[in-house]
Amino acid sequence: MTHDQAASARIAAELRSRIIQGVLVPGTRIRQEEIAEEFGVSRLPIRETLRILESSGLVTLVASTGAWVSALDLDECREIYLMRERLEPLLLRMAMPSHTAESFIEFEASAQRVEAATSPGEFLERDHAFHRALMAGPTTIRLHDTVDHLWNLTHYYRRQLLAPNAVTRRSRREDIFAEHRMILRAVIDGDVESAEAMLALHIRHTRKLVELYPEIFTHSGAGVPRSSR
Amino acid sequence: MTHDQAASARIAAELRSRIIQGVLVPGTRIRQEEIAEEFGVSRLPIRETLRILESSGLVTLVASTGAWVSALDLDECREIYLMRERLEPLLLRMAMPSHTAESFIEFEASAQRVEAATSPGEFLERDHAFHRALMAGPTTIRLHDTVDHLWNLTHYYRRQLLAPNAVTRRSRREDIFAEHRMILRAVIDGDVESAEAMLALHIRHTRKLVELYPEIFTHSGAGVPRSSR
DNA sequence: ACTTGTCGGATTGGATCCAATGACGTGCGA
DNA sequence: TCGCACGTCATTGGATCCAATCCGACAAGT
């Protein structure tokens, strides 16, 4: 079939993936023609793609000038974490009624996979999978999208936090595992209040860690337009 | 100047305004050519406009088929209210440190204007202004945008709730005023915890009211594609 | 030497034109 | 009379072409 979905949406998904995986570093310029050539389409769908990414905050575009991968500063990152501290517990609460005994087994396995991760990339991937599994509910599309969106916005910096510095990785690693187990325990017990509180604390701890390493927000490129949305 | 901002963004803002003001009813189809002709531009910027509105959930577009103003059902509306119950108190908390004595005076005046509103449209307008004023902070762009977005998504239904039925309007009116005053009192006292709790309760009460009148979600148009995001 | 004005290339924004897909209506057959 | 298939038509999706804007370099003047 010629287009199982619109080209703009498909390319937007691909670019989003590159941005959150750090292939496209915040601050780098995006030239329409370059992307168009790579995907073998005209510039037109690319323009639509950039509008989509802009309205979700991943790309900052200046009229008649160009598009850049949005960069966050520490305050914005903190703000996003604060939002996650409020929203993810809510999402977890709404997902919990639909969990079953089979879900719990899968959650345990997922938590095990996080602990068995050997590389930062693997860890990030599996950690995200664990959180997504816990909060996967049938009837919360918008909330789920919002949470996913917030996660995407900070994914690059989370990776920065883990990748270069073995110290931050070591010190926090065991804490994260313990927190995961406590969240999982509360979920299995059906204790909504504990699960919410523990998940909020989990995110809060990560935020505190981010605030300890503000140097990950110093992008070398000086002329990077800041995000406007 | 030929374009102080991009045409797609300008038209997106206009259409958004029409949707939240109820000029464009949820479920109505949007034909690109029609809009293009009205604004005196080609279909191209309209396409970008629709992508923008889609990614913010106001418009649902089906590949090669068309675009419709997104319609909510009761569950989605409840979900959005639950998100607001979590996020708006956070935004209020973050805004409070920047408030001054002059702000307080303006808040009082704004609350008075809400109570003096004579028509449903006026009431909605002033109520929104009051909430926005309370939560206007300098350093919370993304949170503010998210809250504003959630507000937009339910604006039409809030209007529906007030407009036709004098009973719901009467019964809740005094409660709303009282809650506004209690929130304002807490804000002026600098009591963050009370302000957060009271605002959450305020939103919760409105949600409960919405849940009492599910008939506002019965859109006559049968073939309306549901929102996917 | 530094600032300022101007010119040129590169890049984005928009309009028109063409192809492809989905929907609706009609006609044929059971 | 009802159901299915086919053909036409309206509408969307994409490509190419043209105009407007912005950035950088070069040159001239102070």
Side-chain angles (χ1 to χ4, degrees):
Chain A
M1 54 188 70
T2 29
H3 44 276
D4 51 0
Q5 56 178 329
S8 48
R10 196 166 41 83
I11 298 172
E14 171 62 24
L15 284 191
R16 185 177 310 141
S17 165
R18 288 189 194 178
I19 291 173
I20 69 180
Q21 285 180 10
V23 181
L24 285 174
V25 177
T28 58
R29 181 167 185 178
I30 301 176
R31 283 194 302 278
Q32 298 180 356
E33 200 160 3
E34 187 176 304
I35 307 291
E37 186 177 6
E38 175 186 345
F39 285 93
V41 296
S42 97
R43 264 178 43 224
L44 202 149
I46 306 299
R47 280 164 58 175
E48 294 176 348
T49 294
L50 292 180
R51 304 273 180 205
I52 296 172
L53 294 178
E54 188 215 12
S55 77
S56 69
L58 281 173
V59 160
T60 303
L61 53 94
V62 182
S64 301
T65 304
W68 285 264
V69 179
S70 296
L72 297 181
D73 59 28
L74 176 56
D75 282 336
E76 285 178 303
C77 194
R78 182 188 299 136
E79 181 183 337
I80 291 171
Y81 268 93
L82 287 170
M83 292 172 70
R84 286 184 52 202
E85 286 172 39
R86 303 283 180 126
L87 286 183
E88 290 197 22
L90 171 62
L91 181 53
L92 179 59
R93 166 188 288 264
M94 296 183 75
M96 280 179 65
S98 67
H99 290 158
T100 66
E102 295 88 55
S103 314
F104 297 153
I105 296 176
E106 173 53 31
F107 296 161
E108 301 267 14
S110 187
Q112 288 295 327
R113 282 195 290 274
V114 176
E115 303 191 11
T118 57
S119 73
E122 216 174 52
F123 172 80
L124 282 171
E125 173 77 26
R126 296 180 180 187
D127 181 64
H128 194 177
F130 173 70
H131 282 244
R132 261 185 310 200
L134 282 182
M135 302 187 296
T139 176
T140 50
I141 313 290
R142 279 194 155 79
L143 176 53
H144 200 283
D145 278 5
T146 304
V147 166
D148 205 57
H149 177 57
L150 294 175
W151 198 288
N152 286 347
L153 286 176
T154 56
H155 196 144
Y156 170 79
Y157 300 96
R158 198 158 39 246
R159 178 180 296 270
Q160 285 303 105
L161 200 61
L162 262 68
N165 195 330
V167 178
T168 71
R169 197 155 71 237
R170 278 285 166 215
S171 69
R172 179 90 177 100
R173 194 177 172 89
E174 291 303 324
D175 294 345
I176 289 176
F177 297 160
E179 287 165 10
H180 280 186
R181 283 192 288 264
M182 290 182 72
I183 295 169
L184 188 47
R185 174 62 175 275
V187 168
I188 292 177
D189 289 349
D191 183 349
V192 176
E193 301 302 325
S194 296
E196 277 208 35
M198 196 59 233
L199 179 54
L201 211 56
H202 179 52
I203 301 169
R204 179 187 178 89
H205 285 165
T206 308
R207 170 168 63 84
K208 292 290 183 184
L209 187 65
V210 170
E211 292 173 354
L212 281 179
Y213 295 91
E215 62 266 22
I216 62 177
F217 296 99
T218 60
H219 300 91
S220 50
V224 174
R226 284 283 327 296
S227 161
S228 61
R229 292 187 59 85
Chain B
M1 54 188 71
T2 27
H3 44 277
D4 52 0
Q5 57 177 329
S8 47
R10 195 167 41 84
I11 298 172
E14 171 62 24
L15 284 190
R16 185 175 318 151
S17 166
R18 288 190 194 177
I19 292 173
I20 68 181
Q21 287 182 9
V23 181
L24 284 175
V25 177
T28 58
R29 180 167 187 178
I30 300 177
R31 283 194 303 277
Q32 298 179 356
E33 200 161 1
E34 187 175 304
I35 307 291
E37 187 178 4
E38 175 185 345
F39 285 93
V41 295
S42 96
R43 266 178 40 224
L44 202 150
I46 305 298
R47 279 164 60 175
E48 293 175 346
T49 293
L50 291 179
R51 305 274 179 202
I52 296 172
L53 294 178
E54 187 215 13
S55 76
S56 68
L58 281 172
V59 160
T60 303
L61 53 94
V62 182
S64 302
T65 304
W68 286 262
V69 179
S70 295
L72 297 181
D73 58 27
L74 177 58
D75 282 335
E76 286 179 302
C77 194
R78 181 188 298 136
E79 181 184 336
I80 291 170
Y81 268 93
L82 287 169
M83 292 173 70
R84 286 183 54 200
E85 287 173 38
R86 302 285 180 125
L87 285 183
E88 291 196 21
L90 171 63
L91 181 53
L92 180 59
R93 166 187 288 265
M94 296 183 74
M96 279 179 65
S98 66
H99 289 159
T100 66
E102 294 86 57
S103 313
F104 297 153
I105 295 175
E106 171 54 30
F107 297 161
E108 300 269 14
S110 187
Q112 288 297 327
R113 281 194 291 273
V114 176
E115 301 192 12
T118 57
S119 74
E122 216 174 51
F123 173 81
L124 282 172
E125 174 78 24
R126 297 181 177 186
D127 181 65
H128 195 178
F130 174 70
H131 282 243
R132 262 185 310 202
L134 281 182
M135 302 188 296
T139 177
T140 50
I141 312 292
R142 277 192 156 79
L143 176 52
H144 199 283
D145 278 4
T146 304
V147 166
D148 204 57
H149 176 57
L150 294 175
W151 198 290
N152 285 347
L153 285 176
T154 56
H155 197 142
Y156 171 79
Y157 299 96
R158 200 159 37 247
R159 177 180 298 268
Q160 284 303 105
L161 200 60
L162 263 67
N165 196 330
V167 179
T168 71
R169 196 155 73 236
R170 279 284 166 216
S171 68
R172 179 89 178 101
R173 194 177 172 90
E174 292 302 324
D175 295 345
I176 289 177
F177 298 160
E179 287 165 7
H180 280 186
R181 284 192 286 263
M182 290 182 72
I183 295 170
L184 188 48
R185 174 61 176 274
V187 168
I188 292 177
D189 289 350
D191 184 348
V192 177
E193 300 303 325
S194 295
E196 277 209 33
M198 196 58 234
L199 178 54
L201 210 56
H202 179 53
I203 300 169
R204 180 188 179 88
H205 285 167
T206 308
R207 170 168 64 84
K208 293 291 182 183
L209 186 65
V210 169
E211 291 173 356
L212 280 182
Y213 295 91
E215 62 266 22
I216 62 176
F217 296 99
T218 58
H219 300 90
S220 51
V224 175
R226 283 282 327 296
S227 161
S228 60
R229 293 187 56 84

